[in-house]
């Protein structure tokens, strides 16, 4: 078995060359190349990695995407972000083919028109029925490829309140160079979401049901990452959306949808149900690369900090309230820091200071100016639960389509936004059967799981229940990671 690697020390192994480099949003961590960015997740100065410059896809490149299959489009869009010595053109093509072959729709990310100028971009045909499969299925394969090249192994530890956990476990199961430990708050995730994690039986998958809340789970994971001995010993790594590869992997479907609806000759508006700001930031990346996007509409539920920021420059933290769209029940959106880096002219020291004040006072300084600058592209709208149910009911009555509550928040936001003559694409981020209670409440119809999950409620479950205690979780992770390492 190969040894675990100390991820902070990876930079030393990088080969030098004219490759794209990644810099930290806090400005002081050393610039790294893709492979190290993939494996380390967060920069050592606490910032997030972004490319030092934006690669460009010109109009002819975009036109050439029309008519291509999704896997081919994905290979072309992520190509400039990954060094060719890490992954050759042929290897990258094969990797994206394998990644999207497991999706159960021939178009992978099909468009469905719901009125004169509005389309749904269905991103729920992957194995766990939410858009997170697009990036995580790619990420699992990238990890495997890179670790095999290095002869190294890593240990992934994460916390989930829902969709990320199942998508990450499904992407990492049975991969020989990594183990994944996923913490969820016992009794506090939906049955479908829990079963999508706990019914996966694989030697390298460990589900931990923590006797605590989601915040407890997150605090525990942070505590493990802060333990540098453990970090080095087991090669701790992250799969949440602070990882640049997640952002990169989501950029391709904006290009795919754009090319189908007339880009580069037409500009489009995208409407994105938003929580951690990862998905909509991927749209921003597509625009920086050259996709004509007229507006990005951020759709929020009652946890509306981003709405308040974009609408009136108020970015102040309040408490997280549960809603019908739980994957968007977030107050501090980690990927917003990546946009802020650009809004502050890529001044890492200014980002560091703004984040320090934000964390200390709960209010982002100078947010009025940032909001004014962002408003040329971004706009935001919010829906409460009653409005969300009303949209689910109305879309079904008008077009016969069942939508999940996250997608409904997007459609509702599109309806609130003034029309600007551009085609609008609402991202359908989850399958309605993932949130059957809300859909049934609105329409009287209980959506059915797709056939590959139809026996989900009968499959045996496997999870370790652990008390809310860092030492107990650390001991469990260490023992199992070590056993795999020597066994
Ligand atoms: C994760 C998730 C979101 C929020 O996406 P972000 O990238 O965190 O903004 C929205 N809808 C669904 C169904 C999700 O799983």
């Amino acid at each position: 078995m190969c040894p675990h690697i100390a991820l902070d020390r990876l930079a030393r192994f990088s080969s030098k060359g004219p490759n794209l480099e990644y810099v930290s949003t806090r400005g002081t961590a050393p610039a790294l190349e893709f492979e190290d960015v993939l494996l380390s997740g967060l920069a050592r100065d606490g910032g997030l990695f972004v490319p030092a410059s934006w690669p460009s896809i010109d109009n002819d490149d975009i036109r050439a995407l029309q008519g291509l299959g999704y896997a081919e489009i994905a290979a072309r869009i992520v190509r400039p972000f990954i060094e060719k010595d890490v992954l050759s053109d042929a290897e990258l093509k094969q990797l994206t083919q394998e990644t999207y072959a497991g999706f159960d729709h021939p178009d992978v990310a099909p468009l469905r028109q719901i009125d004169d100028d509005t389309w749904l971009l269905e991103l729920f045909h992957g194995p766990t029925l939410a858009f997170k499969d697009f990036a995580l299925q790619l990420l699992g394969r990238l990890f495997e490829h890179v670790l095999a090249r290095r002869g190294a192994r890593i240990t992934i530890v994460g916390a989930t309140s829902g969709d990320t956990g199942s998508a990450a476990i499904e992407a990492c199961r049975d991969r020989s160079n990594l183990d994944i430990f996923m913490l969820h708050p016992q009794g506090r995730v939906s049955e479908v979401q829990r079963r999508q994690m706990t019914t996966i039986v694989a030697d390298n998958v460990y589900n931990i049901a923590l006797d605590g809340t989601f915040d407890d789970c997150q605090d525990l994971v942070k505590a493990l990452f802060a333990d540098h001995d453990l970090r080095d010993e087991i090669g701790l790594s992250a799969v949440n959306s602070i990882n640049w590869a997640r952002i990169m992997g989501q950029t391709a479907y904006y290009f795919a949808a754009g090319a189908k609806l007339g880009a580069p000759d037409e500009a489009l508006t995208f409407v994105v149900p938003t929580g951690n700001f990862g998905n909509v930031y991927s749209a921003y990346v597509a625009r920086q690369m050259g996709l004509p996007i007229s507006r990005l509409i951020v759709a929020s539920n009652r946890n509306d900090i981003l709405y308040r920021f974009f609408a009136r420059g108020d970015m102040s933290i309040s408490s997280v309230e549960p809603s019908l769209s739980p994957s968007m029940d977030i107050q501090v959106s980690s990927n917003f820091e990546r946009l802020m880096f650009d809004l502050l002219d890529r001044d890492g020291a200014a980002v560091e200071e703004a984040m320090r004040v934000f964390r200390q006072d709960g209010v982002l300084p100078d947010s009025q100016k940032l909001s004014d600058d962002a408003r040329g592209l971004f706009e935001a709208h919010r829906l409460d639960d009653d409005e969300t149910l009303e949209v689910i009911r109305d879309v079904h009555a008008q077009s016969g389509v069942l939508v999940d509550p996250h997608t409904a928040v997007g459609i509702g936001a599109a309806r609130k936004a003034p029309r600007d003559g551009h085609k609008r694409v609402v991202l359908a981020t989850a399958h309605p059967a993932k949130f059957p209670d809300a859909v049934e409440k609105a329409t009287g119809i209980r959506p059915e799981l797709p056939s590959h999950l139809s026996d989900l409620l009968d499959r045996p479950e496997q999870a370790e229940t652990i008390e809310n205690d860092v030492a107990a979780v650390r001991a469990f992770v260490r023992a199992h990671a070590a056993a795999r390492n020597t066994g």
Side-chain angles (χ1 to χ4, degrees):
M1 277 281 189
C2 30
H4 286 110
I5 41 171
L7 294 172
D8 321 45
R9 299 201 205 104
L10 290 179
R12 271 199 257 137
F13 301 111
S14 293
S15 59
K16 285 287 144 255
N19 290 324
L20 180 62
E21 283 197 318
Y22 294 82
V23 295
S24 164
T25 52
R26 307 268 172 108
T28 52
L32 297 180
E33 292 183 358
F34 178 78
E35 213 175 353
D36 300 323
V37 166
L38 169 73
L39 292 175
S40 56
L42 199 66
R44 288 173 69 169
D45 57 8
L48 281 67
F49 285 112
V50 291
S53 60
W54 298 112
S56 87
I57 304 279
D58 67 21
N59 285 352
D60 289 340
D61 297 335
I62 297 172
R63 230 169 256 122
L65 301 177
Q66 293 168 3
L68 294 182
Y70 188 82
E72 174 67 35
I73 292 177
R76 293 187 186 197
I77 299 306
V78 306
R79 176 70 279 176
F81 295 108
I82 309 173
E83 297 95 50
K84 293 202 179 183
D85 58 335
V86 172
L87 210 59
S88 70
D89 286 349
E91 287 170 330
L92 177 56
K93 263 191 196 182
Q94 196 192 334
L95 195 122
T96 59
Q97 293 291 350
E98 285 169 16
T99 298
Y100 298 109
F103 283 54
D104 72 359
H105 192 288
D107 289 348
V108 181
L111 284 164
R112 183 200 282 258
Q113 189 162 10
I114 52 165
D115 67 33
D116 284 352
D117 62 356
T118 312
W119 282 257
L120 290 181
L121 178 59
E122 294 183 357
L123 300 176
F124 51 71
H125 296 286
T128 72
L129 314 182
F131 82 90
K132 294 188 173 71
D133 287 326
F134 276 80
L136 280 163
Q137 284 290 317
L138 186 70
L139 196 73
R141 288 173 174 82
L142 285 168
F143 272 138
E144 182 158 71
H145 177 84
V146 162
L147 291 167
R149 250 168 60 91
R150 292 187 176 206
R153 55 184 301 120
I154 56 169
T155 305
I156 291 164
V157 179
T160 186
S161 58
D163 298 334
T164 302
S166 57
I169 290 172
E170 189 64 50
C172 291
R173 65 187 291 176
D174 298 320
R175 300 204 181 280
S176 53
N177 295 323
L178 57 86
D179 297 304
I180 179 164
F181 296 79
M182 191 56 66
L183 283 72
H184 71 266
Q186 184 168 39
R188 294 173 200 245
V189 297
S190 81
E191 183 175 17
V192 172
Q193 287 179 322
R194 184 190 74 240
R195 285 180 164 275
Q196 282 187 301
M197 298 189 278
T198 57
T199 59
I200 294 179
V201 179
D203 284 348
N204 68 332
V205 170
Y206 301 91
N207 275 293
I208 298 175
L210 192 85
D211 187 8
T213 64
F214 173 61
D215 286 338
D216 293 331
C217 293
Q218 264 195 318
D219 288 347
L220 261 165
V221 171
K222 279 187 199 145
L224 296 187
F225 273 85
D227 179 341
H228 288 272
D229 290 341
L230 182 77
R231 229 173 134 153
D232 289 353
E233 182 187 325
I234 64 174
L236 213 50
S237 189
V239 286
N240 50 8
S241 65
I242 55 168
N243 194 314
W244 165 258
R246 293 261 317 258
I247 300 297
M248 173 192 85
Q250 291 163 182
T251 300
Y253 48 71
Y254 290 98
F255 279 95
K260 275 194 203 158
L261 292 177
D265 305 302
E266 281 197 53
L268 303 173
T269 292
F270 287 99
V271 188
V272 189
T274 295
N276 232 340
F277 208 73
N279 200 356
V280 71
Y281 181 76
S282 294
Y284 169 82
V285 171
R287 186 171 184 271
Q288 297 306 96
M289 293 170 75
L291 183 67
I293 294 178
S294 55
R295 268 187 312 164
L296 290 174
I297 297 177
V298 173
S300 298
N301 64 25
R302 61 189 293 186
N303 297 292
D304 63 354
I305 184 169
L306 289 168
Y307 162 74
R308 285 183 280 117
F309 171 75
F310 287 113
R312 52 174 191 267
D314 162 25
M315 180 156 302
S316 54
I317 301 175
S318 47
S319 63
V320 177
E321 304 290 340
S323 78
L324 291 176
S325 41
S327 298
M328 295 154 60
D329 291 345
I330 287 173
Q331 281 289 330
V332 179
S333 304
S334 35
N335 282 290
F336 181 77
E337 180 167 336
R338 289 186 156 114
L339 177 67
M340 197 162 72
F341 184 57
D342 280 4
L343 291 173
L344 291 170
D345 299 322
R346 301 207 142 204
D347 178 347
V351 172
E352 166 87 47
E353 173 60 12
M355 290 308 292
R356 190 188 62 74
V357 175
F358 184 49
R359 212 159 316 119
Q360 180 188 295
D361 302 345
V363 181
L364 189 73
D366 300 324
S367 56
Q368 188 64 55
K369 173 165 189 329
L370 292 179
S371 169
D372 291 346
D373 290 348
R375 220 168 295 133
L377 176 61
F378 289 91
E379 174 176 329
H381 295 280
R382 58 155 277 165
L383 268 77
D384 62 25
D385 280 354
D386 287 342
E387 292 173 300
T388 305
L389 289 172
E390 183 53 39
V391 170
I392 298 175
R393 190 176 305 126
D394 184 63
V395 170
H396 182 249
Q398 300 277 321
S399 60
V401 178
L402 290 176
V403 294
D404 101 287
H406 304 78
T407 306
V409 170
I411 296 170
R415 290 178 174 180
K416 290 185 184 202
R419 308 237 155 174
D420 64 358
H422 294 289
K423 291 176 182 164
R424 305 182 304 180
V425 179
V426 178
L427 277 69
T429 51
H431 192 289
K434 227 173 162 168
F435 301 94
D437 297 340
V439 177
E440 185 172 22
K441 190 170 178 197
T443 64
I445 300 170
R446 198 160 179 90
E448 280 184 23
L449 286 163
S451 58
H452 73 278
L453 289 171
S454 58
D455 64 343
L456 184 71
L457 300 182
D458 304 319
R459 294 181 195 167
E461 294 186 79
Q462 202 170 57
E464 190 79 18
T465 302
I466 300 185
E467 65 195 288
N468 178 17
D469 173 54
V470 187
V473 175
R474 184 196 287 115
F476 181 82
V477 170
R478 179 176 265 145
H480 290 274
R484 291 259 304 161
N485 196 23
T486 53

